[in-house]
C-alpha cells in the first residue's frame, strides 16, 4: 500500500466497503475521470462498468455537464427553497420533470438524495392520511431484497439483512415477497403460477395487517441493489388491482431505473406500472450533483395540497434541496440523456449487452444470468443444480470484483452476484473490452478457487 492508500484508510471512515478487501488492497484513491474510465492516484485506469453507483451515465468528465455547472455557478450558485422562494432553473426543471413523467399533471418536491426522497414520501403519506381522518394508515409495504436507502425509515424499507445491525426495521415496515422466480420459484411451479402466488401472498399480508393500516407500497421496477432482479412475468399487472382494491398507493422507486437505464425514460413504462408517484435521484444529475425528487401524480398532489393547506404548510425541507446548481445540472443531464444520444445508445447497444452477458450462462458456476436494458447480473453458485451458493467465507463475488480491479475493470459484487450497469455513453468497442476483461477475470478466479 502506498502513502495515499494508507492515508485513505487512516481518517476516512468508509461506508458499504468490505473490510476484508480494504485490509487486503486498501482503498482506491481516485484523482479524475476520463470518459467511462476513472483514474487512480498512480495513473491506473479502470473501466467503470457500474457507472459509479449506477448514476454517472454520461461518464466522468462530460464537457456539457461541466459547462452547465460552471455557468450556473457564475450566475447563481446556491439558494434554499423554503418560505416560498425558488430558483428560476428549479421552476424550469420541475416543468420538465412533470412533462417527462407518466402523469398528466403533478408537482415535484426536491431532496438531496434518493433516501431523503423516499423518506419524505413516507412523511407525505402519513400527513395525507392524518388529514383524511385515517391516522392509523401508516404501515409501509416494500419487498425482500429491496433497496430504498439508508435513513432510519428507508433502511426499514430496505429488505436486506444487514439493517438488523441497527435494530431495524422499525415496527410498521412490512416486507412482501421478492418476485425472483429463479431463486424463489417452487419445484414444478411455472413463472405465471409463481407470479399469482406472489400476488396472493401480498393480498394475504394486507388482509392480515388490516388494509385500513397500510399507507403505501414502494417498489423498484427492477430491484437494483438486491442484485438486478427484474419482476417475474406479469408481476405488476397482478399486484396493481390488489393495491387499487384496498386504496393503497403504489410508489415506483425509479432511483436506478429512471432516465433511461432500461432503454425507456422510466422502468414504469417498461412494466406498465401506473405508479401514483415516482422517486427519482441518481441519473437525474448524471452523478454530477446530489439531488433527489419526489414526483407526485395528480391524486397525491391534490391530497398533499389539501393536507398542507389545512395545517398551513408542508413542514419539511432540506437546506440545500432544489438548489440552482443541482437544477441546472439536472436540466442539462436530461438534455444529454434525451436529446444528445444517450438513451438512443442504450437502446442501440442493449441487444449486444444482453447477448454478451448471456454468454456467461454456459459457465459451470453461473446459476442465473439476468438483466434488462443496461442492467445485468451473473449470479454465481457452487452447484448449478441445487442453486447452492458458495460458502460466504469464500467471498466469491468479492474475489471476482477484486481480480477485475487488478485487470482494470470495476464491477460490483452484490450478494452472490456480479453486477454490470455501464454508462450510457459506452461504445460497442468499449463494451467488448468490458466483457473480455470480465471473462478473463472469471476464468482466473475459478482457476484459483479450484486449486
Ligand atoms: C441508491 C438508491 C436509493 C438511495 O439513494 P441515495 O441517494 O443513496 O440516498 C434509493 N432507492 C434506490 C432504488 C436506489 O438504488
Amino acid at each position: 500500500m502506498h502513502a495515499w492508500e494508507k492515508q485513505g484508510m487512516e481518517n476516512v471512515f468508509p461506508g458499504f466497503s468490505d473490510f476484508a478487501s480494504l485490509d487486503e488492497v486498501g482503498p482506491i484513491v481516485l484523482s479524475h475521470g476520463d470518459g467511462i474510465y476513472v483514474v487512480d492516484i498512480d495513473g491506473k485506469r479502470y473501466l467503470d462498468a457500474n457507472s459509479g453507483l449506477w448514476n454517472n451515465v454520461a461518464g466522468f468528465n462530460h464537457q456539457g455537464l461541466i459547462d452547465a455547472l460552471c455557468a450556473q455557478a457564475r450566475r447563481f450558485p446556491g439558494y434554499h427553497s423554503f418560505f416560498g422562494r425558488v430558483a428560476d432553473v428549479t421552476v424550469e426543471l420541475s416543468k420538465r420533470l412533470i412533462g417527462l413523467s407518466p402523469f398528466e399533471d403533478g408537482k415535484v418536491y426536491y431532496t438531496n438524495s434518493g433516501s431523503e426522497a423516499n423518506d419524505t414520501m413516507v412523511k407525505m403519506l402519513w400527513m395525507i392520511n392524518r388529514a383524511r381522518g385515517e391516522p392509523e394508515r401508516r404501515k409501509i409495504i416494500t419487498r425482500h431484497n429491496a433497496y430504498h436507502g439508508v435513513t432510519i425509515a428507508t433502511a426499514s424499507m430496505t429488505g436486506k439483512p444487514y439493517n438488523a445491525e441497527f435494530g431495524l426495521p422499525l415496527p410498521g415496515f412490512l416486507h412482501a415477497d421478492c418476485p425472483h422466480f429463479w431463486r424463489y420459484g417452487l419445484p414444478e411451479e411455472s413463472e405465471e403460477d409463481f407470479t399469482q402466488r406472489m400476488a396472493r401472498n401480498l393480498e394475504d399480508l394486507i388482509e392480515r395487517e388490516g388494509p385500513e393500516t397500510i399507507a403505501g407500497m414502494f417498489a423498484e421496477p427492477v430491484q437494483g441493489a438486491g442484485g438486478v432482479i427484474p419482476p417475474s412475468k406479469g408481476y405488476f399487472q397482478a399486484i396493481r388491482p390488489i393495491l387499487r382494491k384496498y386504496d393503497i398507493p403504489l410508489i415506483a422507486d425509479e432511483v436506478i431505473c429512471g432516465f433511461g437505464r432500461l432503454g425507456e425514460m422510466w422502468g414504469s413504462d417498461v412494466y406498465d406500472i401506473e405508479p401514483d408517484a415516482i422517486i427519482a435521484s441518481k441519473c437525474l444529475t448524471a452523478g454530477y450533483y446530489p439531488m433527489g425528487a419526489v414526483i407526485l401524480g395528480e391524486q397525491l398532489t391534490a391530497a398533499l395540497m389539501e393536507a398542507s393547506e389545512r395545517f398551513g404548510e408542508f413542514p419539511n425541507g432540506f437546506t440545500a434541496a432544489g438548489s440552482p446548481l443541482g437544477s441546472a445540472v439536472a436540466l442539462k443531464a436530461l438534455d444529454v440523456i434525451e436529446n444528445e444520444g444517450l438513451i438512443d445508445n442504450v437502446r442501440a447497444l442493449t441487444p449486444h449487452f444482453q447477448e454478451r452477458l448471456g454468454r456467461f450462462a454456459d459457465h459451470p458456476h453461473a446459476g442465473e444470468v439476468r438483466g434488462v436494458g443496461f442492467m445485468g447480473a451473473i449470479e454465481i453458485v457452487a452447484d448449478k443444480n441445487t442453486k447452492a451458493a458458495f460458502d460466504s467465507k469464500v467471498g466469491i463475488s468479492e474475489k471476482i470484483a477484486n481480480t477485475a480491479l487488478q485487470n482494470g475493470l470495476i464491477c460490483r459484487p452484490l450478494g452472490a452476484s456480479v453486477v454490470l450497469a455501464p454508462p450510457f455513453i459506452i461504445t460497442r468497442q468499449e463494451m467488448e473490452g468490458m466483457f473480455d476483461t470480465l471473462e478473463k477475470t472469471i476464468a482466473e478466479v475459478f482457476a484459483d478457487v479450484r486449486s
Side-chain angles (χ1 to χ4, degrees), residues 49-358:
N50 288 114
S51 313
L53 264 181
W54 316 90
N55 56 347
N56 285 107
V57 292
F60 300 98
N61 61 343
H62 189 281
Q63 206 52 53
L65 286 167
I66 294 166
D67 289 345
L69 186 68
C70 293
Q72 184 61 38
R74 281 187 215 98
R75 198 173 156 258
F76 190 28
Y79 204 73
H80 67 84
S81 52
F82 289 24
F83 324 130
R85 323 273 144 91
V86 61
D88 51 6
V89 279
T90 310
V91 175
E92 213 181 317
L93 174 62
S94 309
K95 186 172 161 61
R96 182 84 180 266
L97 283 172
I98 294 300
L100 284 176
S101 79
F103 310 125
E104 291 284 313
D105 200 0
K107 289 190 194 293
V108 185
Y109 184 89
Y110 294 97
T111 66
N112 304 297
S113 68
S115 300
E116 291 172 355
N118 276 314
D119 198 284
T120 299
M121 185 73 241
V122 172
K123 287 172 84 176
M124 287 172 169
L125 293 170
W126 287 351
M127 186 175 176
I128 287 170
N129 292 337
R130 272 178 66 92
R132 276 187 184 151
E134 291 187 275
E136 73 291 351
R137 222 184 228 280
R138 290 178 67 83
K139 290 177 192 164
I140 301 294
I141 300 177
T142 57
R143 300 170 301 165
H144 286 290
N145 276 322
Y147 186 86
H148 297 293
V150 294
T151 64
I152 293 170
T154 57
S156 296
M157 292 159 69
T158 290
K160 300 270 211 167
Y162 54 70
N163 282 313
E165 295 302 310
F166 307 112
L168 295 173
L170 294 178
F173 288 85
L174 314 172
H175 294 100
D177 299 310
C178 166
H180 186 187
F181 176 57
W182 174 78
R183 176 54 74 190
Y184 301 116
L186 301 172
E188 316 289 318
E189 191 177 37
S190 73
E191 189 164 352
E192 285 77 7
D193 289 347
F194 171 78
T195 294
Q196 290 312 314
R197 180 160 64 85
M198 295 293 98
R200 267 198 318 277
N201 287 354
L202 176 65
E203 183 155 15
D204 288 348
L205 175 71
I206 293 169
E207 285 286 356
R208 203 162 57 238
E209 294 286 336
E212 71 290 349
T213 69
I214 316 273
M217 177 166 180
F218 289 64
E220 300 156 86
V222 176
Q223 291 190 330
V228 180
I229 302 170
S232 61
K233 207 179 292 164
Y235 173 79
F236 283 104
Q237 283 61 45
I239 67 163
R240 202 68 191 86
I242 296 170
L243 297 173
R244 287 221 173 87
K245 173 171 157 193
Y246 295 106
D247 208 9
I248 297 170
L250 175 58
I251 317 302
D253 183 343
E254 295 263 11
V255 170
I256 287 177
C257 297
F259 310 111
R261 175 63 63 195
L262 308 184
E264 300 293 335
M265 197 45 71
W266 306 105
S268 293
D269 299 335
V270 176
Y271 296 106
D272 281 328
I273 294 177
E274 299 180 12
D276 295 291
I278 281 178
I279 305 299
S281 187
K282 294 203 166 92
C283 303
L284 174 55
T285 56
Y288 282 49
Y289 204 85
M291 180 176 262
V294 178
I295 307 174
L296 296 171
E298 284 168 288
Q299 284 179 14
L300 285 176
T301 296
L304 186 65
M305 287 295 289
E306 199 179 311
S308 302
E309 273 162 13
R310 179 183 296 229
F311 178 69
E313 65 176 3
F314 177 54
N316 193 74
F318 300 94
T319 300
S323 90
L325 264 187
S327 300
V329 173
L331 274 168
K332 182 63 189 177
L334 296 179
D335 260 344
V336 167
I337 290 170
E338 213 189 351
N339 307 323
E340 295 178 29
L342 265 62
I343 199 166
D344 297 331
N345 194 51
V346 175
R347 287 182 185 139
L349 288 183
T350 284
H352 185 61
F353 176 73
Q354 294 295 339
E355 187 272 320
R356 286 254 6 208
L357 185 74

Side-chain angles (χ1 to χ4, degrees), residues 395-408:
I396 191 71
S397 55
E398 286 80 7
K399 265 203 174 73
I400 292 169
N402 287 338
T403 307
L405 275 181
Q406 287 165 19
N407 294 332

Side-chain angles (χ1 to χ4, degrees), residues 5 22 25-30 38-41 44 46 405 410:
E5 284 79 4
L22 272 181
V25 294
I28 296 172
V29 183
L30 300 165
V38 286
V39 186
D40 76 11
I41 200 77
K44 180 168 175 159
Y46 304 86
L405 275 181
I410 293 176

